[in-house]
Amino acid sequence: MLKRCLPLPFVLACLALAACKGADPAKTRTQAAPAKVTAQTVESKPWSDVIEALGTAQANESITLTAKITETVRRVNFSDGQAVSAGDVLIELTASQQTAQLKDAQAMARDADRQYQRQQDLVKQGTVSRALFDTATASRDSNSAKVDAIRAQLSDRVITAPFSGVLGLRRVSPGTLVTPGTPITTLDDIDVIKLDFSVPETLLGALVVGQEVQARTAAWPERQWEGKITSIDSRVDIASRSVLVRAEISNPDRVLRPGMLLSVQVFRAPRDALVLPEIALVQIGTDSYVFRIKPDSSVEQVRVVPGARRRGEIEVREGLQAGDRIVVDGTVKLRGGAKVAVEESVGATAAPAAAN
């Protein structure tokens, strides 16, 4: 009989299979190296929640200066943007007619007063009736009242600053005919700025008078102003379901101006909270997880409930305890039960072995 020859590839495959069966499984099994990660020990730290809002700057005191009467401007005593004190004369209106009337009224008042003095002496002597003396008294009082009335008219022709502040743009010139309500300029006291901002009604319980605030503006992004809440509105807006809050901010260099938009931060009372670096958090759908390192250097995936966030840190409300060691960097290559090798630790309470 003729011997049947087997194909060479089949023979080689059989030889390789026999060699594998005879090999030691412990030597051929691939050993997975521990993943290198950065870890941190969970600590309880002071945490202050921040309420953020947008506010509008208001002057501490603000008015638009107008005339009380119809008259022409005789003199303008200020320039645009000038700082003035309370009582400074800003505008003088024409008052020649009232000045003449005042002189006439003063002369009549002096004569009526002399008549009163004579009648008073005579009535004491009994040579003048009491009725004549009463007439002299009425004449004196009437003429004195006319003097006061004309002086009041003259005062309406002199417009002064009711309080100290900074003037706006001048809107009249000498010779301008002004009427009641005609804008002359604006006056703002901006040494202190009132900052009005709205806060949702759900946060109303977190607000108290005297609470510290910080404000910033896009005009000077590198600067920060500090102030305190001075009042909280007594009503909640039914449309927006928010409450209006007012804070006062010191503005000695008068950089902030009324009408400016400012971003506001209100700081609540500090409390202790578990705080983690934000990069340690793994988001899967709507759930948040961290990898906790067990004593045998393996990791377990732990679901946590995150809270507030700030500058790369996040508060953990549930799921961890102080002293737990969690993976901060290197989470993308981890699975539950995986072994890890900590290259370095971050935080004040890192394990000594990890620091080596």
Side-chain angles (χ1 to χ4, degrees):
M1 295 177 61
L2 297 175
K3 293 183 179 180
R4 191 173 180 180
C5 295
L6 298 175
L8 181 59
F10 178 76
V11 175
L12 293 176
C14 292
L15 292 175
L17 180 61
C20 290
K21 288 182 178 180
D24 187 359
K27 295 181 180 179
T28 58
R29 186 182 300 120
T30 302
Q31 299 291 335
K36 296 181 179 180
V37 297
T38 302
Q40 177 176 322
T41 301
V42 179
E43 290 182 319
S44 179
K45 298 180 180 179
W47 183 277
S48 179
D49 293 320
V50 178
I51 301 172
E52 297 184 347
L54 292 177
T56 302
Q58 307 284 348
N60 186 40
E61 302 289 350
S62 180
I63 62 167
T64 298
L65 292 171
T66 61
K68 296 180 181 179
I69 59 174
T70 301
E71 193 56 86
T72 58
V73 176
R74 184 172 70 88
R75 182 182 298 171
V76 178
N77 299 322
F78 70 92
S79 56
D80 298 342
Q82 180 181 339
V84 296
S85 301
D88 287 353
V89 177
L90 306 178
I91 294 288
E92 297 178 32
L93 303 179
T94 302
S96 55
Q97 181 180 358
Q98 283 70 30
T99 302
Q101 291 176 353
L102 177 61
K103 291 180 179 179
D104 180 61
Q106 287 174 333
M108 295 181 65
R110 286 194 296 269
D111 182 65
D113 187 64
R114 285 193 296 267
Q115 294 293 333
Y116 169 80
Q117 295 296 337
R118 292 195 193 98
Q119 296 293 341
Q120 188 179 31
D121 294 338
L122 293 174
V123 77
K124 290 179 181 180
Q125 299 173 5
T127 57
V128 174
S129 66
R130 188 70 186 182
L132 290 176
F133 175 71
D134 291 343
T135 302
T137 302
S139 177
R140 183 201 62 170
D141 295 343
S142 176
N143 282 279
S144 178
K146 289 179 181 178
V147 171
D148 292 340
I150 296 173
R151 282 176 176 168
Q153 293 177 7
L154 285 171
S155 67
D156 290 342
R157 286 164 170 76
V158 178
I159 300 174
T160 60
F163 53 83
S164 300
V166 179
L167 296 173
L169 301 179
R170 178 164 60 94
R171 301 183 183 180
V172 296
S173 299
T176 302
L177 178 65
V178 295
T179 59
T182 300
I184 295 174
T185 188
T186 57
L187 176 62
D188 297 307
D189 175 11
I190 56 175
D191 289 336
V192 174
I193 288 293
K194 294 177 180 177
L195 183 59
D196 294 344
F197 57 95
S198 295
V199 174
E201 66 173 335
T202 54
L203 298 175
L204 186 57
L207 300 175
V208 293
V209 173
Q211 208 163 356
E212 294 184 357
V213 302
Q214 290 182 353
R216 294 180 180 272
T217 175
W220 289 275
E222 74 286 352
R223 294 192 58 178
Q224 178 177 283
W225 287 264
E226 297 182 353
K228 292 184 177 181
I229 293 177
T230 57
S231 60
I232 302 172
D233 200 359
S234 59
R235 296 183 179 181
V236 174
D237 187 273
I238 60 175
S240 62
R241 292 300 174 188
S242 61
V243 62
L244 189 63
V245 182
R246 172 168 291 176
E248 288 189 359
I249 298 175
S250 180
N251 186 36
D253 52 1
R254 297 174 176 173
V255 171
L256 299 177
R257 304 293 178 89
M260 292 182 69
L261 180 68
L262 284 81
S263 59
V264 190
Q265 290 183 325
V266 182
F267 295 92
R268 302 176 64 177
R271 56 184 173 82
D272 290 334
L274 297 179
V275 182
L276 300 179
E278 198 169 4
I279 59 173
L281 206 65
V282 178
Q283 197 73 32
I284 303 178
T286 58
D287 296 329
S288 300
Y289 298 87
V290 297
F291 285 98
R292 181 166 55 193
I293 302 176
K294 299 195 294 187
D296 62 353
S297 296
S298 64
V299 295
E300 59 178 340
Q301 196 172 16
V302 180
R303 184 176 181 274
V304 296
V305 178
R309 301 172 186 258
R310 70 178 183 190
R311 300 178 184 175
E313 292 183 324
I314 187 167
E315 172 196 11
V316 175
R317 295 180 177 175
E318 296 179 10
L320 294 176
Q321 295 180 350
D324 288 347
R325 204 155 171 241
I326 54 100
V327 176
V328 174
D329 191 14
T331 56
V332 293
K333 52 191 174 184
L334 294 182
R335 296 292 183 272
K339 294 285 187 177
V340 295
V342 179
E343 286 188 322
E344 58 176 309
S345 294
V346 295
T349 59
N356 292 334

